Structures are given as structure tokens and as C-alpha cells.
Amino acid sequence: MRLAWTAVTAALVAAAVSMAAAAAPARGDGVVTAAVCGTTHWVGAWAADPSGTLGGGFADQTLRVILTPHIGGSQLRVHISNRYGPKPVTFTRASVALRQTGAALVAGSSRPLSFAGQPGVTVPAGGDVVSDPAPMTFAAFQDLAVSLYLADPTGPATGHFVGRERSYATARSGGDHTADEAAGAFVASTATVIYLDAVDALAPAEVGAAVLFGDSVIDGYESSGPSGAEEQGGIDLNHRFPDYLARRLAAQPGGPRLSVLNAGISGNRLLVDAHQTGGGASGLNRLDADAAGVAGATDAIVLEGINDIGGQASVEQVTGALAEIVVRLHARGLRVLLGTITPAGTGLLNVGSLLLPVYVGTPGNLVRLAVNSWIRNGATGADGFVDFDAALRAAALPNQLDPRYDSGDHVHPNYLGYSRMAENVDLSALRGAQCGPRLPTKLRVGARDRSRRLRVSGSLLTTATAACAGASVTVRALRGPHTILKRRLPVTPACHFAATRPSMARGRIEVRVSFAGSPTLLPTHARSVFLEAG
């Protein structure tokens, strides 16, 4: 059977009650600082940001949350959120495993999760917690299952309403089934993500994360028609815009090495908190928790504003909020691309002999066009933009979604539209991880002739001599086009190197030295010296 607390099925453009809410705590590692190349760091592999609370909650039940990570690894950690819960929630036991199918697990893959060394943890109202690292070898796009046992009544449960992937639960008073490999005890399913809001993987320092931040078009909502009801046929297929972008990045051998995190919430607004109706805290209030503080975040693509426009926000209010987001993300070291707002037509109206498109209010459409012009004209302070509007609009009616990409409510794209969005992201505009912090380095080299011997020596000049361990240089001596010495030399911890060629003929020698670098030093250009051997 399906649980009663299924995902929100409204059109997700309706107004919400304005509420003042404290900014949610960041779930990541704080201010972004790059790891040293060759080391590892935590990178977000999957996310489903909390959007509100669900019904009566759980008691003596086990949840089995299914997720599809966008990068793989051999260690992971799990984030649990009680962001909107009215009271503390105790997670008595938790585990993670590879998912076989449905609620069934791959035999032998389950691993217990711990929290500060304990098998369970109590998360305060409004709080988040992260598990201890757990050994788990998994590949990108390989389904994982996180099982959570809740022995005591929880009250309303924090969740992400539009999960677009089925998760499972046991019956009330069903007991602890976190270790079950079979699916038999899990008698209910939902496309809402309960309590789980992120999974991080331990990844090489060269891997970063692109956070896709926004509303239902980022979230991946698809409607089943003009009513705006959620389309059930696309659930479990990973057809969201972030999924397509992640697969596209994974297929690029020379492209940036990036995980892609879905930080979209259906019904979300830039300016107004909507968590009481399932739309999450405002974009400005949740930015630190859901984008800036995400583990390993290096880039962000922001697409938001249509729900504010539907709520009568002005051009100045929307552009002001987007500009603030850019400033705040830049302050945390992220590269930021803004997305133009896609058409939000609600159908065609027969006026006399004309069929005219109807929008979320004609004044609202004018606001949308003005915001998009501001984005395209580069007045945003962002590092670039992605023209989603141009990618999805109809040629004949540019204020309306192209019918090929319309899921049916004329607001949300279908899976072809989400794929089209991913195709229109310039991958070269994404920075990816910048290994560091690394030290600036200069190369000093000298050569001399003594008794027809060629001696080349030099040093790397940097602010910390210990950083030279592991560095190397390549020395090459040429007479005209001919190489008479080529040797790769280790650099000593004191940053020195030297090479000698026992004998050489008379003539002009060019000595070239190139710095191969180390994990902590920035590479420099090659240096050349000339020697007249008499």
C-alpha cells in the first residue's frame, strides 16, 4: 500500500504564508577550502533538502530511504535532519547498504552507522546530525538504502516532499528491521524523503561538487496534466535536471570532476518561507545550509524566482535576492552561474478567433522577462548564466514552454525538458575543484662548465621549504637540436636539485629545467640558461 503522507501534488506556484525563520545551520564543512592535491576530502554525493513536516510521524518503525549518489567512493557519511520537527527525535539504530531492488538489499552489503561512536543519536528540534564515516564501496548512480529505526514516537517528521524516488517503511509498531536484507517487512512506500537530507563520499581532492539551487524545476517535479498533480510514471527513473547534468559530466573524460547536488525544493521562494506548505525555508534563509556549506562545494547554478513572481514580487525584489545569493556564495569560494527563469504559461485562452497564452498573471510574465534581461546583461555579479528560458521556450510563443518539453501543466518541464536543460550547461563554465591551498613557487637554475663537465643545479623558491618534498624537475641540455642530457631529478626537502654530465664537447649549450611540481606547490614555467663550453 502507499502511505497517506505522499508528496505535495499542487501546482507549486501558489502563494504561501510569510513567516520569519532563523537561517538553518550549515550541514557541510563550513567555509570552503580546497584540499591538497593527492589527499581526500568529503564531497556531497546526494542531497534532498528538507521542505516541511509530515503528519503524525512514526513509532517503533523502520524507514528505508532509497537514494542514487552522483559520485562513488569507499567511505560515506549520512546527514539526518530534524530541521522542522517540533521536538527531539531519537534514531535508535541506522544502517546503510547497496539496494538490490525495491526495499531489498544486496546480500552482505549492509553496514551499521554510528554517531560519535554510538549506535543511535537524538537530534534536537531544528537540528541536524552527521554520522561517523562508514566503509561502503559504491559506484556513481548505484542505488543505496539507508535504514532508520525509530523506537519512540517522533511527532511530525521532517522530509523532502518531492523525492521522485520510492522509499519504504514498516508498519507502525513493526520493530527494528534495519538489518533485514529482504523486503518483506517494508509494507508501505512513499516518494517523499524522510529525515535523510544528504550523503557525502570521501573523494580525491580533485573532485568538487556543483550545487543546483532553486525551486521545482531544479527539484525535478513533473505534472501529470493541467491539474498540476504529480506524474507518478517518472518516479524512480532519475529524470531530473541534476541527474542528467551529473550523467553528462561523468561522460566527459577531460571535463571538470564534479558531483552534482540537487538543492531544489518544489514551491520554494527566494524571499518568503514556505515550509508550512512544504516549500521549505526561503532561498535566502536556507542558502548557507543547502548550498554554501555543502561539503566539497565548488560551483552553484541558481534557478529561482518564479514562485516569488507568482506571489507578486517586483523585479527589484527578485534581482536583489539573486544578487545577494551571488555575493554570499562568492564569499564562500563558489563559482556562481544564474539561470534564466523558464516560461510559466498556464494554457491557452480562446479570445474570439485567437488562442492567447495565459500566464501566472501578465504582469508576472513582464517581471520574469525583466529579471531574465538583467541576468543576460551581466549585471548580476555572477560568473555567468545558463539560458534555460531560451532552451525551453516555444519558438512561436516564446512566453510559453515548448510543447515537446511541457509535462502538462505548462509550468514544469517533462524529462525531455530536463535533459534539454542539462545539455545547455556549458561544462567549461564550471570550475570544479581547485586543489590547494598550494604555495607559489619560483624556479632558480644555474649551469657551469668545469673541466668539460656540465653541472646544472638550482632550487625551488617557496614560502615553506618542507613543501618541496615530493617535487621533481626535469633537466634537459641541448646543443642545437640534439639532446645531450635529460634527467628527471628529485628535489630535496630543502628545495635543491643538481645534475652533472661527465663530459661534453665544446660549443654553446642550452639547459632547460622544468618543474614537475608537488601536491603543495604551484607549477612554474620552465627556465633556460645558456653556457659557452670552451
Side-chain angles (χ1 to χ4, degrees):
M1 69 179 179
R2 296 197 59 80
L3 299 182
W5 27 268
T6 52
V8 173
T9 57
L12 301 170
V13 188
V17 178
S18 175
M19 297 187 66
R27 65 158 181 256
D29 294 322
V31 176
V32 175
T33 55
V36 174
C37 292
T39 64
T40 57
H41 66 155
W42 290 107
V43 176
W46 171 89
D49 301 324
S51 60
T53 57
L54 310 162
F58 306 91
D60 191 21
Q61 286 175 273
T62 303
L63 305 179
R64 182 155 286 174
V65 182
I66 308 302
L67 62 106
T68 306
H70 285 161
I71 58 171
S74 58
Q75 287 191 65
L76 57 73
R77 63 184 187 183
V78 169
H79 295 255
I80 296 173
S81 178
N82 190 25
R83 187 182 296 183
Y84 301 122
K87 67 175 188 177
V89 175
T90 297
F91 297 83
T92 308
R93 191 164 288 103
S95 65
V96 62
L98 303 177
R99 194 266 285 265
Q100 181 69 264
T101 185
L105 308 181
V106 173
S109 69
S110 183
R111 302 287 185 270
L113 291 172
S114 63
F115 303 85
Q118 301 301 310
V121 65
T122 297
V123 185
D128 298 274
V129 70
V130 59
S131 75
D132 300 330
M136 170 64 65
T137 299
F138 61 99
F141 313 107
Q142 182 177 20
D143 290 347
L144 301 178
V146 175
S147 300
L148 306 170
Y149 174 52
L150 301 142
D152 302 321
T154 66
T158 293
H160 178 92
F161 283 9
V162 181
R164 304 297 292 168
E165 190 160 23
R166 286 181 181 86
S167 292
Y168 302 88
T170 63
R172 200 171 182 87
S173 302
D176 179 6
H177 292 274
T178 54
D180 287 15
E181 293 181 343
F186 295 89
V187 296
S189 69
T190 180
T192 296
V193 181
I194 315 298
Y195 287 123
L196 193 69
D197 78 323
V199 172
D200 300 334
L202 193 63
E206 293 80 6
V207 178
V211 181
L212 276 51
F213 186 84
D215 51 35
S216 54
V217 179
I218 296 289
D219 201 6
Y221 188 88
E222 290 186 54
S223 74
S224 60
S227 69
E230 185 179 14
E231 169 59 52
Q232 301 296 306
I235 290 176
D236 294 331
L237 298 180
N238 293 314
H239 278 169
R240 314 167 193 87
F241 159 48
D243 301 320
Y244 284 111
L245 182 60
R247 288 191 285 266
R248 186 171 169 228
L249 281 163
Q252 295 291 315
R257 301 184 64 189
L258 285 167
S259 175
V260 177
L261 297 177
N262 188 336
I265 295 179
S266 295
N268 196 232
R269 295 186 179 194
L270 289 166
L271 299 162
V272 178
D273 292 321
H275 59 272
Q276 284 199 333
T277 55
S282 72
L284 294 180
N285 279 343
R286 71 185 185 93
L287 185 70
D288 289 342
D290 296 344
V294 169
T298 58
D299 298 80
I301 298 176
V302 180
L303 172 58
E304 188 148 27
I306 192 61
N307 293 324
D308 297 87
I309 293 171
Q312 310 305 309
S314 67
V315 174
E316 292 74 20
Q317 287 175 315
V318 175
T319 57
L322 290 172
E324 180 180 335
I325 285 175
V326 171
V327 169
R328 287 168 59 184
L329 292 178
H330 276 167
R332 300 294 286 272
L334 276 69
R335 181 174 176 82
V336 185
L337 306 178
L338 290 183
T340 55
I341 301 173
T342 56
T346 57
L348 296 175
L349 179 66
N350 193 339
V351 180
S353 60
L354 298 176
L355 288 176
L356 301 178
V358 181
Y359 310 105
V360 184
T362 299
N365 189 57
L366 295 177
V367 172
R368 182 185 73 88
L369 294 175
V371 171
N372 284 350
S373 177
W374 175 79
I375 291 172
R376 292 186 181 106
N377 289 334
T380 64
D383 300 290
F385 70 93
V386 185
D387 205 339
F388 296 125
D389 171 46
L392 296 183
R393 67 193 181 200
L397 295 169
N399 293 316
Q400 182 173 313
L401 282 175
D402 188 318
R404 295 174 297 174
Y405 305 133
D406 190 342
S407 66
D409 64 359
H410 315 304
V411 176
H412 299 95
N414 57 20
Y415 74 96
L416 293 175
Y418 288 130
S419 176
R420 171 79 171 163
M421 290 173 66
E423 291 168 1
N424 276 266
V425 175
D426 179 3
L427 300 187
S428 67
L430 299 173
R431 182 186 63 190
Q434 303 291 301
C435 294
R438 294 197 291 173
L439 303 169
T441 310
K442 293 182 179 179
L443 179 65
R444 179 173 60 195
V445 61
R448 61 178 177 168
D449 168 31
R450 177 179 292 178
S451 301
R452 298 183 66 181
R453 288 189 305 159
L454 174 66
R455 178 173 174 80
V456 179
S457 63
S459 58
L460 302 182
L461 307 180
T462 183
T463 56
T465 56
C468 291
S472 64
V473 296
T474 299
V475 175
R476 188 181 183 194
L478 303 99
R479 184 187 298 107
H482 304 293
T483 298
I484 60 174
L485 170 68
K486 183 176 182 181
R487 192 173 302 167
R488 183 174 179 179
L489 304 172
V491 178
T492 70
C495 295
H496 300 306
F497 63 90
T500 300
R501 188 180 190 278
S503 62
M504 65 177 186
R506 299 173 185 270
R508 189 172 188 268
I509 305 297
E510 178 184 359
V511 180
R512 299 176 183 174
V513 179
S514 59
F515 169 35
S518 80
T520 56
L521 298 176
L522 295 173
T524 67
H525 297 293
R527 295 288 184 266
S528 296
V529 295
F530 295 91
L531 174 67
E532 291 291 343

